[in-house]
Amino acid sequence: MGRSTTSALPTTDAEADYVLLAVHGRAAHITLNRPKALNALTHAMVRRIDEALTVWEHDPDVATVVLTGAGERGLCAGGDIRAIYEDARAGGTASADFWRDEYRLNARIARWPKPYVAVMDGIVMGGGVGVSAHGNVRVVTERSRVAMPETGIGFVPDVGGTYLLSRAPGELGTHLALTGAQVGAADALLCGLADHYLPSPRLQDFLTKLESTPVQEVLPRHTHQPPPGELAAHRDWIDHCYAADTVEEIVDRLLATGAQEAKQTAETLLTKSPTSLKVTLAAMRRARALPTLEAVLAQEYRVSCAVLSSPDLVEGIRAQVIDKDREPKWRPGALGDVRDGDVEGFFGGTDAGEPLFTDGN
């Protein structure tokens, strides 16, 4: 039998049903419940998850927290892009307020003292990566499609994405950050975005066992080797091309390799926001040198707030999500027109209001 914990949490929010909370045996469950929006995160959802973690951290009857997504399509497609679009058009502060709480939640998940089991089944993108890939038990299936696709909408990888990707082997993370490419289970494991592979038919039994058994005892009985991935076979040209100092040189190297996959990758990059590509490369390089997730999140927060007033964010969301014409008009429209000073400006801001983290990172 399960017991709901919603009575222990504030229930005045109209969006409370977007996050379902329950405890079954020793396992507490967080279910993202906006299946028609592919469980896209709202500010209220972020707050509700954080409130639940506060309650369960101090509940001795809760041994494990499990994150899943409602519906058949995936865990979470990211943040509520339409809300960000409207806020950016209006010159508002709602997105900055949302990101502040979201990034703090990402850091909290990474430091969670109990097993935090993220079931990364189906589509897991953007903010969905933030609430899953920082957990200490990250499960992917044959249906998993994991990505940070921000450069395609004029944005920059956030939610600790530049922390995770900057620590992937070689230049794999740079490739994923710039292209926004989706990866399956094996490549998510290779890049350090996940820990364990479970065939989807075994998920329900796995989750049921967690009600009575510690996760480290359950995992060996359910995990398998994933089907082969794709990235390992391309490491030579990926590591060589993305080690370049500029996006222009990366594109030139991709075109010069002679590999068809590299040529297609160059063509993909040239469809993305030139400004986003250059800021993303700079963010990835800087993230490698930062010591903690919190320090990277603080950098991402400053960049995200700067991007909010960039014309490419509104235009990118318009083209991909609102009008869906897939023909964004980027400003500037060419990599060579994005100056170093323009890029530096995205990193020069300060936290709006109080610092993101009180330890100064």
Side-chain angles (χ1 to χ4, degrees):
M1 296 293 290
R3 60 182 174 91
S4 170
T5 61
T6 53
S7 60
L9 300 167
T11 56
T12 57
D13 201 306
E15 298 179 3
D17 289 344
Y18 288 168
V19 176
L20 303 179
L21 306 171
V23 176
H24 301 280
R26 300 276 286 164
H29 290 261
I30 301 170
T31 304
L32 307 181
N33 189 40
R34 293 185 72 200
K36 291 183 179 179
L38 228 169
N39 302 319
L41 294 171
T42 66
H43 198 164
M45 293 169 71
V46 165
R47 288 194 296 259
R48 191 148 180 81
I49 294 168
D50 188 65
E51 291 161 358
L53 292 180
T54 296
V55 172
W56 290 332
E57 181 174 356
H58 304 290
D59 186 340
D61 294 328
V62 170
T64 304
V65 170
V66 181
L67 176 74
T68 57
E72 300 297 322
R73 298 169 61 197
L75 174 67
C76 176
D80 191 329
I81 297 299
R82 288 179 178 269
I84 293 172
Y85 172 78
E86 296 297 342
D87 185 50
R89 289 186 68 193
T93 61
S95 297
D97 294 340
F98 165 59
W99 291 326
R100 179 183 294 278
D101 286 342
E102 183 184 25
Y103 299 176
R104 285 173 170 168
L105 175 63
N106 301 148
R108 182 175 195 181
I109 289 169
R111 308 291 180 238
W112 184 244
K114 301 178 182 181
Y116 180 99
V117 181
V119 180
M120 301 170 70
D121 186 32
I123 292 174
V124 186
M125 297 184 183
V129 173
V131 294
S132 60
H134 296 298
N136 48 33
V137 182
R138 305 166 299 174
V139 173
V140 284
T141 75
E142 76 282 358
R143 301 184 298 208
S144 296
R145 304 302 298 171
V146 185
M148 296 297 295
E150 286 77 10
T151 58
I153 59 166
F155 197 48
V156 176
D158 65 336
V159 299
T162 61
Y163 178 86
L164 294 165
L165 294 177
S166 68
R167 283 147 175 84
E171 295 293 340
L172 292 178
T174 310
H175 170 66
L176 297 183
L178 293 181
T179 63
Q182 300 178 22
V183 297
D187 288 331
L189 293 168
L190 173 63
C191 293
L193 300 173
D195 309 298
H196 308 282
Y197 171 76
L198 269 70
S200 59
R202 304 213 63 182
L203 276 177
Q204 189 52 57
D205 184 60
F206 169 71
L207 295 177
T208 299
K209 291 292 194 300
L210 293 180
E211 297 175 13
S212 58
T213 308
V215 64
Q216 296 305 328
E217 295 180 23
V218 178
L219 280 167
R221 306 171 193 170
H222 290 78
T223 54
H224 292 256
Q225 287 296 316
E230 301 175 6
L231 290 178
H234 302 305
R235 279 291 302 276
D236 286 348
W237 64 259
I238 287 175
D239 287 351
H240 168 69
C241 295
Y242 287 97
D245 291 332
T246 67
V247 180
E248 290 95 328
E249 187 180 350
I250 289 172
V251 172
D252 288 344
R253 289 188 183 187
L254 289 168
L255 293 172
T257 63
Q260 182 62 26
E261 295 87 352
K263 179 177 181 292
Q264 292 171 346
T265 297
E267 293 169 351
T268 295
L269 289 177
L270 293 174
T271 69
K272 309 298 183 182
S273 160
T275 300
S276 292
L277 289 174
K278 289 202 168 185
V279 176
T280 295
L281 182 62
M284 288 286 292
R285 297 289 193 257
R286 294 176 185 221
R288 281 181 180 169
L290 292 173
T292 65
L293 171 61
E294 285 82 359
V296 175
L297 285 165
Q299 172 177 276
E300 290 179 348
Y301 184 71
R302 290 189 290 272
V303 171
S304 296
C305 290
V307 174
L308 194 60
S309 59
S310 165
D312 278 4
L313 179 60
V314 169
E315 174 61 10
I317 298 175
R318 179 207 64 76
Q320 299 296 335
V321 179
I322 306 301
D323 297 337
K324 299 182 180 180
D325 59 30
R326 308 293 192 265
E327 295 183 0
K329 303 296 188 294
W330 306 121
R331 292 188 290 162
L335 288 167
D337 293 333
V338 183
R339 298 166 299 182
D340 292 345
D342 298 331
V343 174
E344 188 63 31
F346 286 86
F347 296 88
T350 57
D351 294 335
E354 61 184 286
L356 194 64
F357 300 102
T358 56
D359 62 2
N361 285 328

